[in-house]
Amino acid sequence: MEWLGRANIEFTTSPKPLNLKEKDGKETNLLKICESAVPPCNLNPLLFNGHAQTMWTAAKAHGPQLHYKRRIFEADHAEFNGSFAVDFAVTDPSAKKEADPTLTPRTAYFSKAELEAMGSDDDRPMLVVLHGLSGGSHEIYLRHAIAPLIDGGKWEACVVISRGCANSKITTGLLYNARATWDIRQTIKWLRKTYPNRPLFGLGFSLGACILTNYLGEEGSATPLKAAVVVANPWALHISSKMLQSTVIGHHVYQRVLGNAMRALAMRHKDELEKYTNIDTANLLSLKYLWEFDRAYQCPTWGYPTEEAYYRDASSSDSLLAVRIPLLAINAVDDPIASCLSLPYAEASRNPYTVLCTTSLGGHLGWFEIGGGRWHGKPVCNFLNHMAFEVDLDSISNEVNGKRTSGNPEYGTNFDPMRRKMHVNLNQ
């Protein structure tokens, strides 16, 4: 039936999924919740494969009209200092008329009075979102996923902007990479302090999904987040990169488009890069492909010897093993950017806190339905609503059965999925 646009859906998780309890006392588990949250995947049959679904995103059809207010944070990380932006979804109708022409559409800065008034004792669930490569809160795929939550009137949300993206300014030579978890960590700490009664949830897309998964692995059970969803995570970056470079369309279309996006980002911040780094900006701005940008910028900036070393070190497939909150991961098997060869089936099957949901169709952040809707928003909203309003969040155990999940104590071995090649002070 795939040729009619009906995608096959499969779930991968531990043979013993995480046990949970509903607020009415009913016993359930993470797999059952995910299965009930994920509806049939009926996509536009004219967009019959991953390339068609992915390329259709360039059509830039109008999506839900979300509005944001932007707050600028000064990083509290000693090494990765500078500033970053967080866009907060506007729920007050009277504030939706404001927009700053220097920012992305429907976005304005908070006024001084609004900044001083931030904070509340309410218990509304709050969603922390990470966008994809060179994106922002304005991205259509992101708005399709969170608009139903915001418009429903029960949720608050904010989008952590990767440094330099979405018309944000940088005050050092640092942009971001797939291991850049420090800004979301600081944001979550600030939210926990400013809104102490709000349960916090996470949502990441593409590279943002990789960053969010890495953050969850680094924090383990210490994260204040109650549950999370990651969509179109590239998982093993070195595999996805090699797969892109191995095909004509991958190399000359996707790598070039992604490279152009990063080159435009570098162009926007050329003065800062020249002031604060030794990067050869003339060479950087002449590059065509994403892997070339990563070699020219990511390697010298962060200290990786090669882009392949960076890809291996920043991948999040091992991080999945260290996640200790309920996590739903959604990927399309025909995704030409986040290759199916990088999907962490084995890792998901070893961790009861995670469920990997794969659809046979959908492309990269596509999932276009007939009429222009985006399917991925449905499981995202269903899962988050169920976790926020129906599950007893206190029933989530920090460690399943209190047992370690990797290593062999008999022989004194211990596998640490978060042991990286490059040591970074996480500022936890």
Side-chain angles (χ1 to χ4, degrees):
M1 293 294 289
E2 284 189 15
W3 63 278
L4 292 177
R6 185 179 181 87
N8 295 321
I9 300 175
E10 295 183 357
F11 298 90
T12 304
T13 189
S14 167
K16 295 182 178 180
L18 179 68
N19 289 322
L20 296 168
K21 184 182 292 185
E22 306 277 9
K23 290 182 178 179
D24 61 5
K26 179 183 177 182
E27 297 289 340
T28 186
N29 63 53
L30 183 58
L31 178 59
K32 290 180 180 179
I33 291 174
C34 292
E35 288 176 334
S36 65
V38 177
C41 185
N42 298 314
L43 305 182
N44 190 330
L46 298 179
L47 304 175
F48 52 86
N49 63 20
H51 294 302
Q53 283 279 342
T54 302
M55 293 180 181
W56 193 246
T57 60
K60 298 187 183 299
H62 296 294
Q65 300 294 294
L66 286 181
H67 294 72
Y68 301 94
K69 285 291 188 75
R70 177 167 294 185
R71 180 187 179 103
I72 303 299
F73 286 80
E74 289 299 322
D76 62 6
H77 198 289
E79 289 81 16
F80 307 130
N81 58 347
S83 61
F84 65 95
V86 179
D87 289 352
F88 289 77
V90 172
T91 55
D92 180 2
S94 65
K96 292 184 178 182
K97 298 179 181 179
E98 301 177 40
D100 188 320
T102 67
L103 301 180
T104 46
R106 299 173 303 281
T107 304
Y109 287 107
F110 280 111
S111 67
K112 182 178 180 181
E114 288 173 327
L115 289 172
E116 293 175 349
M118 294 188 80
S120 173
D121 290 329
D122 69 66
D123 60 357
R124 293 161 62 86
M126 180 102 193
L127 183 61
V128 185
V129 188
L130 293 180
H131 58 79
L133 183 76
S134 73
S137 59
H138 61 289
E139 297 289 353
I140 296 175
Y141 62 78
L142 185 153
R143 288 185 279 128
H144 269 284
I146 72 171
L149 299 176
I150 302 301
D151 293 342
K154 296 181 179 180
W155 283 80
E156 302 286 341
C158 67
V159 182
V160 182
I161 305 298
S162 292
R163 297 194 190 189
C165 293
N167 293 3
S168 65
K169 299 177 181 179
I170 60 172
T171 52
T172 69
L174 292 177
L175 295 173
Y176 59 95
N177 70 10
R179 279 193 63 189
T181 59
W182 27 91
D183 290 346
I184 186 177
R185 180 174 288 105
Q186 180 177 339
T187 302
I188 289 173
K189 288 180 179 178
W190 182 87
L191 290 171
R192 170 53 56 236
K193 179 180 179 180
T194 309
Y195 302 97
N197 297 324
R198 288 184 178 179
L200 303 178
F201 298 84
L203 173 62
F205 298 93
S206 194
L207 187 72
C210 183
I211 295 172
L212 179 57
T213 307
N214 281 332
Y215 162 79
L216 293 175
E218 291 165 356
E219 293 294 311
S221 59
T223 178
L225 297 183
K226 298 299 184 181
V229 184
V230 290
V231 183
N233 189 341
W235 297 107
L237 301 176
H238 54 296
I239 294 177
S240 291
S241 177
K242 284 188 178 297
M243 290 303 297
L244 281 177
Q245 295 180 56
S246 68
T247 66
V248 172
I249 191 171
H251 183 66
H252 291 289
V253 177
Y254 299 124
Q255 276 278 355
R256 185 186 288 266
V257 168
L258 297 172
N260 285 343
M262 295 308 295
R263 187 173 69 238
L265 188 69
M267 175 67 79
R268 192 177 305 121
H269 304 290
K270 180 175 180 289
D271 292 343
E272 289 78 11
L273 294 178
E274 291 180 341
K275 180 178 180 180
Y276 296 110
T277 76
N278 295 319
I279 299 292
D280 182 349
T281 55
N283 173 62
L284 190 67
L285 297 176
S286 70
L287 303 177
K288 297 180 180 179
Y289 306 110
L290 178 60
W291 66 268
E292 291 180 318
F293 180 90
D294 289 336
R295 175 180 292 180
Y297 177 81
Q298 301 290 16
C299 291
T301 300
W302 304 100
Y304 287 105
T306 68
E307 72 274 15
E308 290 292 328
Y310 158 57
Y311 294 151
R312 290 190 296 269
D313 197 48
S315 293
S316 58
S317 48
D318 280 353
S319 300
L320 194 66
L321 293 166
V323 172
R324 290 298 179 269
I325 62 169
L327 175 67
L328 171 60
I330 303 173
N331 282 86
V333 175
D334 67 351
D335 188 329
I337 294 176
S339 171
C340 64
L341 296 180
S342 70
L343 291 175
Y345 291 110
E347 289 76 12
S349 68
R350 293 286 296 173
N351 189 348
Y353 290 88
T354 66
V355 172
L356 173 62
C357 170
T358 55
T359 62
S360 57
L361 303 173
H364 189 70
L365 294 175
W367 287 293
F368 285 95
E369 300 171 311
I370 294 176
R374 308 286 281 271
W375 173 85
H376 68 275
K378 297 175 182 177
V380 167
C381 293
N382 292 344
F383 177 78
L384 291 173
N385 275 325
H386 193 111
M387 294 301 302
F389 300 113
E390 298 185 44
V391 170
D392 177 5
L393 298 177
D394 293 332
S395 72
I396 301 174
S397 171
N398 288 336
E399 199 70 45
V400 173
N401 299 324
K403 297 180 180 180
R404 64 198 294 174
T405 57
S406 303
N408 190 333
E410 181 180 353
Y411 298 107
T413 62
N414 177 40
F415 176 79
D416 181 359
M418 301 312 298
R419 186 183 292 122
R420 302 290 194 178
K421 295 292 181 64
M422 178 175 285
H423 173 74
V424 172
N425 176 14
L426 298 178
N427 209 29
Q428 290 171 299

